[in-house]
Amino acid sequence: MKILEIEGGKTLSGTIRISGAKNSAVALIPAAILSDEEVTICNVPEITDTEALCEILKYLGADIKRASESIVIQSSKIENKEIPASLSKKLRASYYFMGALLGKYGRVKMRFPGGCSIGARPINLHLKGFEALGATITEKGNCYVVEAEELKGANIYLDFASVGATINIMLAAVKAKGTTIIDNAAKEPEIVNVATLLNNMGAKITGAGTSTIKIHGVSSLGSCFHEVIPDRIEAGTYIILGACCGNQLKIDNLIPEHVEALTSKLKEAGVPLKIGVDSITVSKKESTKAIQVRTQTYPGFPTDLQQPLSVFLTQCEGKSKIEETIYENRFMHIPYLNQLGADIRVKNQTATIIGPTQLTGGNVVATDLRAGAALVIAALIAEGHTKITNVEHILRGYEQIVEKLTNVGANIKEREI
Ligand code: EPZ
């Protein structure tokens, strides 16, 4: 098992360069199989989630060339065979192979043990979309067989603006006969990044980034060259870190508009931010004030930054509140923050945070990806030594986190125990 050991209390300064977005790359890699030719995707982060997806591509028979930040995928020889749970269970985003294989072949069989620690995370909206396109679904013990004689365009309303369902339905619909309209679609930037890849391959998608997406089916998709957008959640995590212990900490290679919900909240708390064209420079301010936050779908405050932000709020004067509206179980980091000295109470879906509190080091456990990121921030501002176990969660979504933090003055080591 991997652990992180951190000596906290240091001021961090210098530049952190943001990598390609995990939540975009994990959809772009499966989407590439829709092309009959070679697809090059650059700025792909080297994290365990993208490695796991490349393993599935190789299992299906795709030819992959992985350079440092790019992947060249040639899937003309892939076989539409069942994806076993041993591969699909490594990450939830493996479900994008359902939409991609259904869209390419009209049939897909895969074992998909859904769910994860932050919630049940059903895929009913994905399956509703596939059925609307004419597919029949049989599910036996987490094994899904989705098949259609012919995929036909349909009007699909999403009960919830689900990111995954929006992308998966797009993948299944790009080669369907006729036009598909997705209403109440998710508007996250990652949706736009995937739609742009598909259009670069020859698809006809309009409206990505709005709540109504229109897809005119095409008969084939070709080669293209595409770039992953910067990771707004990685960027937000490091901006929050700068607000906690930075001195002119520059977060570089980001799209400021994608983190606007966060920067507006930090400004409300009194954090001094310098917002450039593709960077944000942030410093800790001696006293910042308590704020109220409610997670929402994009462009609202992102649920993925709720846990990192809660650490910053332990340093703000007064009573802050964070309401989590997206997931049912996304406060598992709170007991560990309280163990380090925070004063946080959780009632239903709201965490009330009294600050400021002095955090001191201790032994904590990363329960999920963003909880782990929150614990790294807490350890960096705590006085003394902190050991974080189960850091495999963190390495799923933060490329070179130890190198990036060491380069700005953090005392952080990764060890195998
Ligand atoms: C994506 O998950 C992200 N993951 C999540 O990031 C992110 O938190 C989430 O979108 C919301 O922004 C990836 O992109 C790989 P959803 P996804 O479908 O697509 C319910 C991270 O930390 N729902 O928008 O699974 C679901 O239970 C991860 O990087 C249904 O009920 O999110 C949840 O409560 C965590 N039925 C809510 O919608 C469905 O069919 C949000 O889900 C699908 C979803």
Side-chain angles (χ1 to χ4, degrees), residues 290-337:
I291 53 175
Q292 316 241 337
V293 178
R294 189 166 185 275
T295 64
Q296 299 167 69
T297 54
Y298 192 86
F301 191 91
T303 173
D304 295 347
L305 288 177
Q306 175 261 107
Q307 294 149 299
L309 187 79
S310 63
V311 183
F312 166 69
L313 298 178
T314 67
Q315 305 305 302
C316 295
E317 281 182 29
K319 184 190 281 191
S320 296
K321 282 185 185 289
I322 294 192
E323 187 188 355
E324 172 56 63
T325 70
I326 307 291
Y327 290 107
E328 59 268 35
N329 187 26
R330 207 166 194 175
F331 288 129
M332 287 182 290
H333 58 304
I334 302 283
Y336 293 110
L337 293 185

Side-chain angles (χ1 to χ4, degrees), residues 22-23 26 92-93 95-96 118 121-126 160-165 188 303-304 326-328 330 369-370:
K22 166 183 86 81
N23 290 347
V26 296
R92 176 176 166 76
Y95 58 29
Y96 288 131
I118 59 176
R121 301 184 77 178
I123 58 168
N124 58 309
L125 298 175
H126 304 233
F160 173 81
S162 154
V163 172
E188 273 71 0
T303 173
D304 295 347
I326 307 291
Y327 290 107
E328 59 268 35
R330 207 166 194 175
L369 167 57
R370 306 302 174 182

